[in-house]
Amino acid sequence: NTKAPTPQPEQPQTHQRSERDYEDAHKHLRSSKGHAKREQSFLFDQATTAKFNALVLQEHSRDCDEMGTPGFDHPPTTGVIYVMDRATAKGWTYGDKSWGNFGQGAPEVGPIPDAIERPLSISMELDEFEYAPVAGIKSLRQAVANLYNVRYREGKESKYTWENVCIVPGGRAGLTRIAASIGDANVGFFLPEYTAYEALLTIFKRFVPIPTPLDKDTNYHITPQRLYREIHDRGLQVVVASNPSNPTGQLIEGEQLEKWVDIARTTKTTMVLDEFYSSYIYTHPENLGKTVSSAEYVDDVNVDPIVILDGMTKNFRLPGWRVCWIVGPKEYISSMASSGSFLEGGANHPLQKAAIPLLKPSNAFQDACALQTHFAMKRHYVLERLEQLNLTVEIPPKATFYIWLDLAALPEPYCNGLTFFEACLDEKMICVPGIFFDINPGRRRDLARSPYQGFVRLSFGPPLDELKTGLDGLERLLKKIGYYS
């Protein structure tokens, strides 16, 4: 017996690649598990019947090693996971400072100027070895409710209490609890949108997901008038949206956000708002520390159908803690607790306790001020550098740490997001192709015609040195293809 050689990662190409070499960018995607193009079949179609009969014969002749996973279907990976897998195949590893990771969907977690200190160790009590309640420990739920009341409910009669808060082990877990609680309903969402929504809107079969595409002609903005029209004309009972928006970085705030809440109230439509980037706001430099939430415009916290998702992950730069929350009317929160009992069982007990001091309103305000100052600096640097490379961002982000980059000015085939991404990997720069944000529940649409193929998402979440490394790699690529000199 001879031992099979250990597979080696693909080696980055040092020579200039021809355009034809990048025609297989889509093949890489289609060959990855869960991303194969869905085949359509029709009853009583002769070709399909013959194909089925051939498959039956093939099943009987299979070896055990070729059995596959009977009864299981491999779900597609999210965009960030796919691009990191491809980068790994090209030699990327965590901590490799020769790469610039603009695909990162998380903020830098190290110290930044003027931010509060986060604990590097925690002391535990004996009771923390026990399971925490599925809805979270009461003291943390109270801390979250108090933060929202101080930030958004001053002077209002209706206040949030601990019963309006459900603690969840991460944003995806929160979204999953929400989706598991949605009944037979039409659920609206807007494109482009956060990549994890695709699987979420696919695996739960009771509701019908209905997309509404947005484009650069409207600055990827959903006016209250359009929101009302979508709800009315499509019979939506639930609307799910990220605000601030991932990936475009756009923001609904002020009077327009107030109208969104009013529309939800008057049409009796549940509004699920992913507010994970509510501290990354760049529209009020004169009002440092200002955060944005629909909670500000709720009349009655137990009546208005507004469900908010947020947490420690982005706004407190603690993605590894997986401590997040859902805020909404008590009846919704009861549903979230019930769904969590059979989904994931609840969040980490010790880290729930460790999160409480960080949510003290004065600490949260100090951290928001530091975060906005630091990330506004990185935003300015990346936008300015892209401008120097003749890649003008026509619709700069108002919030988040993402830039939605239009590749239309680049020559063929690099104006395609997947092709551009593969080319960037050869220069040790990682981004996320726009096609992944054209979320496609059930793979019902052919993404080969996606209007977002000509875009990529760039993250300025990583530290500044890494951003500089990645932009140097982008500059090398643009010089190689003759776009920039």
Side-chain angles (χ1 to χ4, degrees), residues 169-275:
R172 290 176 181 84
L175 287 167
T176 304
R177 287 199 193 191
I178 290 169
S181 303
I182 297 174
D184 299 317
N186 287 343
V187 178
F189 62 97
F190 300 96
L191 298 174
E193 187 53 279
Y194 172 44
T195 60
Y197 285 16
E198 179 165 321
L200 185 78
L201 295 171
T202 299
I203 59 178
F204 295 97
K205 304 297 184 183
R206 290 187 63 186
F207 56 80
V208 179
I210 300 176
T212 297
L214 305 175
D215 55 46
K216 60 183 179 182
D217 292 338
T218 59
N219 287 355
Y220 302 99
H221 184 70
I222 313 110
T223 64
Q225 294 80 3
R226 184 169 187 183
L227 174 66
Y228 178 82
R229 191 168 63 247
E230 292 293 325
I231 291 172
H232 181 271
D233 294 353
R234 299 178 187 269
L236 303 180
Q237 290 119 314
V238 180
V239 172
V240 181
S242 59
N243 184 53
S245 169
N246 174 8
T248 65
Q250 299 310 298
L251 174 67
I252 311 253
E253 63 174 336
E255 183 180 349
Q256 295 227 327
L257 184 55
E258 183 177 11
K259 288 180 179 179
W260 269 51
V261 174
D262 184 61
I263 289 169
R265 183 188 306 116
T266 56
T267 62
K268 296 180 172 61
T269 302
T270 297
M271 198 79 67
V272 178
L273 292 173
D274 173 348
E275 297 184 349

Side-chain angles (χ1 to χ4, degrees), residues 325-358:
W325 53 78
I326 302 168
V327 175
K330 291 180 184 178
E331 193 62 31
Y332 287 90
I333 296 306
S334 176
S335 296
M336 302 303 111
S338 181
S339 62
S341 67
F342 67 83
L343 285 170
E344 81 304 301
N348 179 291
H349 196 157
L351 290 178
Q352 287 191 59
K353 284 197 172 181
I356 294 171
L358 304 180

Side-chain angles (χ1 to χ4, degrees), residues 116 119 140 143 312 316 321 351-364:
I116 63 171
L140 178 57
M312 309 299 290
F316 293 84
W321 281 27
L351 290 178
Q352 287 191 59
K353 284 197 172 181
I356 294 171
L358 304 180
L359 296 179
K360 183 180 177 182
S362 58
N363 287 341

Side-chain angles (χ1 to χ4, degrees), residues 109-111 117-123 318 321 354:
V109 298
E117 290 188 14
R118 280 92 52 83
L120 296 178
S121 62
I122 57 173
S123 60
L318 293 168
W321 281 27

Side-chain angles (χ1 to χ4, degrees), residues 93-141:
T93 57
Y94 281 101
D96 186 343
K97 296 187 180 300
S98 67
W99 284 74
N101 184 7
F102 279 78
Q104 181 174 316
E108 58 178 294
V109 298
I112 62 175
D114 301 322
I116 63 171
E117 290 188 14
R118 280 92 52 83
L120 296 178
S121 62
I122 57 173
S123 60
M124 294 174 57
E125 298 178 6
L126 187 61
D127 70 329
E128 292 173 59
F129 293 142
E130 299 282 357
Y131 287 125
V134 175
I137 59 174
K138 184 177 178 180
S139 52
L140 178 57
R141 296 168 73 183

